[in-house]
Amino acid sequence: MLPESALDWLVSVRRHLHQYPELSRAEAMTADYIAARLAELGLPFEAGIGGHGLVATVRGRQGGPAVGLRADMDALAISERTDLPYASRHPDVMHACGHDGHMTILLGAAMILQQGDFAGDVHLVFQPAEERYGGARMMLDDGMLQRFAMRQIFGLHNWPGVPAGTVVVHDGPVMAGTSEFTLRFTAAGGHASTPHLTGDPLLSGGYFMTGIQQAVARSVDPLESAVVTVGSFRGGFAQNIIPQEAELTGTLRAFRGETLLHLRARVEAVAQAAAAMAGCDWSLAFDAALCSPVVNTPHERDTMRQAAKAAGLTLGGPMAPSMGGDDFGDFLTQIPGAYAFLGNGDQGPETGLHQPKYDFNDAAIGPGAALLAQSALLALAQS
Ligand SMILES: [Zn+2]
Ligand SMILES: [Zn+2]
C-alpha cells in the first residue's frame, strides 16, 4: 500500500532512530525528531504530553468518530553488539525492543491514512517510557483522552521468531500486568559472635526469599498464571559482621489486575512474617502504578484480525500469551482496544527482545503500517 519511495524514507527514519536511542523519560531528541517528521508529513500534533509524548492527528471528513493508534518511543540500557552501520551511537543505550520500528510503523500508517478517504479522526499516540516509569499512565494523567477523545485504541509489538510481517492477534490476554517492589530489612547489626544482641536482616531476607515462593504455589488458582521473581538480594560485606540492612527487589506478574493486587498483599504479609522471625524492622515500596495486563477486547480483536486480512497479511497463531509486560494495558483500562504481535522473523541466535544483537526487521515496516492503518479505517467504518 505504500510506494517504494515511502518505504525507503521510512527505513531511513527507522535507522536514524536506531542510531540515537534514549532511555525512558529521556526521549527528548526522539520527540523532536518525530515532531519534525510529523511536520514534514503536514500533520498537526501536540508535544510534551506525559513527558516526551506526542499526539498527532490524521483528519478525515468531518462527522466521524475518532480512534487511536499507539507506538512506544524509549530504548534500553544495553550495549549494542551488532556490527550494523546504523548501530547505536549512544554508549550503553540501545533500541533493543524495536520501539524505533514501532514509531516508524506509526508514521507509515499515517502516510497510508493520508491517502485514504474516511470520516473521522485518527490520533497517533507516540508514548514515552514504556520500558520503565509507566509512560501510558503519565499520558493518561496528563489528560490525553480528554484532549484527544478516542473510542478505541490499537497497538502492536514486533515479535522475533514469528515470520516477518505475519500477524498474531490473541483471543484475550496478550501480555501480563506487572508490579515491582523494593523490600528492606533493618536491624542494629553487630558482631557475628553475638547474634542474640541484634536482629539479622540477611536471615529475614532468606525467610522472605523462600516464603514468597509459596505465594503462587499455594495462594493463586492453579489454572491462573502468575510469577513472583526476586531479582536482587543485597546485604552484608564481611564474614564476621551481622549487617544493618538487606534489600531485595522483585517483580510480580499476572494476567488479571486482581491477581496482581493479591500478590502485592502476599509480599507484604510474608515480609512482615520474615521480619518478625529474625527480629528486624522492615519497609516495603511498590512502584507507584501497576502496569495493567494487556487483554484484547473481543470486538477490537476481531477488527484487528479483519484488518490483517484486508491488508493482505498472514494471520498466524494461536500463540500463548507472554509473561512480558506492556503498559498499553493501561490504555485498555480506559477504552477498548487490541494489540497484535507482528513477526520480526528469525534473525539467528541471541536476537530476541532486550538482547544486544537484536535488530528490528525493516521488512516488517510495511505490514505493520498497513495493519494499523486498516485497523483504524475498519474501526471508523463500524460506527
Ligand atoms: Zn521491551
Ligand atoms: Zn517493547
Side-chain angles (χ1 to χ4, degrees):
M1 287 228 270
L2 281 168
E4 208 59 41
S5 58
L7 283 170
D8 288 346
W9 183 77
L10 288 166
V11 168
S12 73
V13 165
R14 206 285 289 182
R15 295 182 176 187
H16 177 96
L17 289 166
H18 192 86
Q19 284 183 74
Y20 301 100
E22 293 174 300
L23 293 175
S24 311
R25 280 202 311 208
E27 307 92 341
M29 278 176 62
T30 304
D32 285 348
Y33 182 78
I34 293 294
R37 301 293 76 75
L38 291 168
E40 206 172 323
L41 294 174
L43 292 169
F45 64 90
E46 273 187 44
I49 302 173
H52 294 295
L54 302 99
V55 179
T57 304
V58 186
R59 293 197 199 291
R61 281 178 281 110
Q62 288 205 329
V67 301
L69 302 174
R70 174 270 204 172
D72 38 18
M73 301 166 72
D74 52 337
L76 290 152
I78 291 176
S79 246
E80 180 158 351
R81 283 200 286 118
T82 69
D83 295 322
L84 296 166
Y86 54 87
S88 171
R89 295 187 182 191
H90 289 169
D92 303 323
V93 186
M94 178 189 176
H95 267 300
C97 206
H99 300 182
D100 49 345
H102 301 166
M103 288 182 274
T104 307
I105 282 171
L106 195 48
L107 291 171
M111 294 166 87
I112 295 172
L113 290 166
Q114 283 181 308
Q115 301 163 1
D117 176 32
F118 61 93
D121 290 333
V122 181
H123 297 307
L124 315 170
V125 178
F126 292 89
Q127 181 213 305
E130 186 281 325
E131 299 284 359
R132 301 188 66 194
Y133 309 119
R137 178 62 49 195
M138 284 153 51
M139 291 188 88
L140 289 169
D141 289 348
D142 205 2
M144 180 186 105
L145 291 178
Q146 287 72 45
R147 288 149 77 180
F148 302 92
M150 55 186 84
R151 208 171 51 175
Q152 295 141 306
I153 189 161
F154 298 92
L156 58 74
H157 205 292
N158 76 95
W159 213 254
V162 173
T166 290
V167 175
V168 177
V169 185
H170 288 77
D171 278 336
V174 188
M175 310 245 314
T178 66
S179 176
E180 291 172 355
F181 64 88
T182 301
L183 171 62
R184 271 189 199 91
F185 294 108
T186 51
H191 199 285
S193 65
T194 56
H196 57 297
L197 300 180
T198 177
D200 186 344
L202 288 178
L203 188 54
S204 281
Y207 283 133
F208 178 81
M209 272 295 282
T210 50
I212 199 60
Q213 296 312 314
Q214 298 174 22
V216 174
R218 299 288 91 184
S219 76
V220 173
D221 184 332
L223 295 178
E224 258 199 63
S225 302
V227 177
V228 177
T229 291
V230 174
S232 73
F233 183 171
R234 291 193 206 91
F237 42 87
Q239 70 272 41
N240 58 354
I241 301 169
I242 297 171
Q244 293 182 313
E245 183 177 297
E247 184 193 86
L248 298 92
T249 65
T251 301
L252 316 174
R253 307 214 159 198
F255 288 111
R256 292 195 316 129
E258 303 92 280
T259 310
L260 273 183
L261 291 174
H262 166 75
L263 289 176
R264 277 187 169 193
R266 291 311 301 158
V267 166
E268 196 168 340
V270 174
Q272 184 172 22
M277 283 174 76
C280 291
D281 292 321
W282 61 289
S283 66
L284 173 64
F286 291 103
D287 47 344
L290 287 179
C291 164
S292 306
V294 178
V295 182
N296 289 339
T297 49
H299 185 257
E300 286 66 29
R301 166 202 69 201
D302 293 344
T303 300
M304 217 167 186
R305 285 180 180 160
Q306 285 165 23
K309 283 188 203 156
L313 305 174
T314 306
L315 261 183
M319 229 174 114
S322 164
M323 270 291 165
D326 188 318
D327 67 355
F328 184 79
D330 287 336
F331 294 123
L332 297 184
T333 63
Q334 308 295 313
I335 46 176
Y339 177 98
F341 285 176
L342 175 69
N344 200 51
D346 187 355
Q347 301 188 309
E350 299 175 51
T351 56
L353 298 172
H354 293 207
Q355 291 196 301
K357 291 186 180 172
Y358 166 86
D359 188 31
F360 178 84
N361 189 339
D362 287 330
I365 294 174
L371 175 67
L372 288 186
Q374 278 299 331
S375 298
L377 291 172
L378 282 176
L380 291 173
Q382 284 159 359
S383 57

